[in-house]
Amino acid sequence: MWLILQYIVVATLVVLCSIKASKYIDMLDKTTKLSGAFLGGVLLSAVTSLPELFTSISATLLIGKPSLCLSNILGSDIFNSAVLALSVLVALRHFSKAKISKGNIIVTLFVLVIYIALLLNMFNILNFEVATVNIVTVIIVLLYAFGVRYLANDESAPSDNDDEDIRLSTRQVVVRFTLTSVAIVVLSILMTYITDDLATEFNIGSGLAGAIFLGVATSLPEVSSTIALVRMRNFNVAVGNIVGSNLFNFIVICIADVLCVGQSVYDYSDLKIVGLLEYGLFATLALLPMLYSRKIWVKALAAVAAIACYFAFLAI
């Protein structure tokens, strides 16, 4: 019970910090000339993905469980996709009228390509090293670089409440956003150890622990910030936060691959990781028509499919 209480307390603090971070990003979207797609898909997504970064690195280097790293990332991504799909269903009419940046759709395509690369890597079709790192790592880094470029150059889609009065200066918003990000980092490191203890206490595998306890907990920033942005009707930044986080999460695997010596981060020995990979690919595929189509029924059907993929994984 003490472990569960720790988990709940840390998770709650992560949610509160993430809501604050989303509010500061919304302020920057209204008071600066920066692209909304860039703010959501790069800046906010990087911050809300800090739990995945630090927990995965800790799991690889400190705990010595690279499978926990991979399952954490894949579990977070499929959970993020389900959250975005659920947000679309809840605010279906508003989402159908919102302008989603082209950059966010391109980033979703990049995420889909990474899933395909991981599947090929699992079957040893795309499994060799380039300068001591796996070829998949090189592909992920290149796709992320192109994704940042598209988001930075993309036209911003305005939110529906641009007339909101912003009383803080840009400098004050940036300082508060930075402090909130630091708090998220500290809480993320604590979450790693709590999850490992939970896995030991309940005698479950690291793959399942990473996908459920760690994957869901480290996705709380994306969840809470996305919900907050949807309530602000800043749909473009909300979408960018999720798809950008999914792309950034794979960069975490790249960092772990570089730092991990003597062990492979691309470890598919746990069958639950294989399930995460397969259903994650299908969920990402469902996001494309959900974001691109202007028809309400297409968005709704695609959103249901993405959510079904997450629950299908839990079922197995």
Side-chain angles (χ1 to χ4, degrees):
M1 290 300 297
W2 174 238
L3 280 176
I4 295 176
L5 180 61
Q6 290 180 31
Y7 183 89
I8 294 173
V9 170
V10 174
T12 301
L13 291 174
V14 169
V15 169
L16 294 176
C17 290
S18 303
I19 292 175
K20 284 291 184 180
S22 65
K23 290 182 179 179
Y24 297 140
I25 285 293
D26 185 61
M27 291 179 186
L28 290 175
D29 187 32
K30 296 179 175 65
T31 58
T32 68
K33 296 181 180 180
L34 293 174
S35 164
F38 176 80
L39 288 171
V42 178
L43 188 58
L44 182 60
S45 67
V47 171
T48 56
S49 293
L50 286 176
E52 283 87 355
L53 173 60
F54 285 93
T55 54
S56 296
I57 298 303
S58 299
T60 303
L61 297 181
L62 301 181
I63 301 178
K65 295 181 179 180
S67 61
L68 192 61
C69 169
L70 187 59
S71 62
N72 175 30
I73 297 304
L74 294 175
S76 295
D77 274 16
I78 191 173
F79 184 73
N80 288 348
S81 298
V83 167
L84 178 58
L86 182 60
S87 299
V88 170
L89 285 179
V90 172
L92 188 58
R93 291 185 179 180
H94 294 297
F95 255 108
S96 63
K97 299 176 182 178
K99 179 183 177 182
I100 304 302
S101 297
K102 181 180 178 182
N104 286 331
I105 299 175
I106 292 176
V107 167
T108 306
L109 281 170
F110 286 171
V111 172
L112 183 63
V113 172
I114 293 174
Y115 270 107
I116 295 173
L118 286 171
L119 279 175
L120 294 176
N121 179 264
M122 183 179 67
F123 289 110
N124 289 320
I125 298 175
L126 193 65
N127 189 14
F128 57 90
E129 292 189 350
V130 177
T132 72
V133 297
N134 197 287
I135 182 62
V136 176
T137 294
V138 177
I139 294 173
I140 293 173
V141 171
L142 291 175
L143 289 176
Y144 183 76
F146 281 114
V148 171
R149 179 183 176 184
Y150 275 110
L151 292 175
N153 296 329
D154 205 350
E155 294 182 359
S156 177
S159 62
D160 293 344
N161 62 340
D162 284 340
D163 57 344
E164 181 183 351
D165 182 28
I166 307 299
R167 297 183 179 181
L168 297 176
S169 67
T170 301
R171 181 178 180 180
Q172 289 176 316
V173 174
V174 171
V175 170
R176 296 187 183 192
F177 179 76
T178 303
L179 291 175
T180 304
S181 302
V182 172
I184 292 176
V185 170
V186 175
L187 294 169
S188 305
I189 297 174
L190 290 176
M191 188 65 70
T192 307
Y193 292 98
I194 295 174
T195 299
D196 187 58
D197 291 340
L198 282 171
T200 302
E201 181 71 21
F202 291 101
N203 193 28
I204 59 178
S206 60
L208 185 59
I212 297 180
F213 288 117
L214 197 56
V216 172
T218 56
S219 289
L220 286 177
E222 288 91 341
V223 175
S224 51
S225 59
T226 298
I227 292 174
L229 287 165
V230 168
R231 292 183 65 183
M232 298 174 200
R233 295 191 179 182
N234 199 334
F235 301 111
N236 190 49
V237 177
V239 171
N241 178 37
I242 292 295
V243 299
S245 294
N246 284 357
L247 182 61
F248 182 84
N249 284 347
F250 286 116
I251 287 292
V252 175
I253 297 180
C254 298
I255 297 174
D257 186 32
V258 173
L259 297 177
C260 187
V261 179
Q263 299 183 75
S264 175
V265 175
Y266 300 98
D267 182 5
Y268 309 98
S269 57
D270 191 334
L271 292 179
K272 296 180 182 65
I273 294 179
V274 178
L276 277 171
L277 187 55
E278 294 173 344
Y279 285 110
L281 185 148
F282 292 136
T284 304
L285 190 61
L287 293 185
L288 291 173
M290 188 184 76
L291 297 178
Y292 182 78
S293 178
R294 304 292 295 183
K295 297 180 179 179
I296 293 182
W297 70 270
V298 173
K299 285 183 177 292
L301 187 61
V304 170
I307 297 172
C309 287
Y310 179 70
F311 284 103
F313 162 71
L314 292 181
I316 65 171

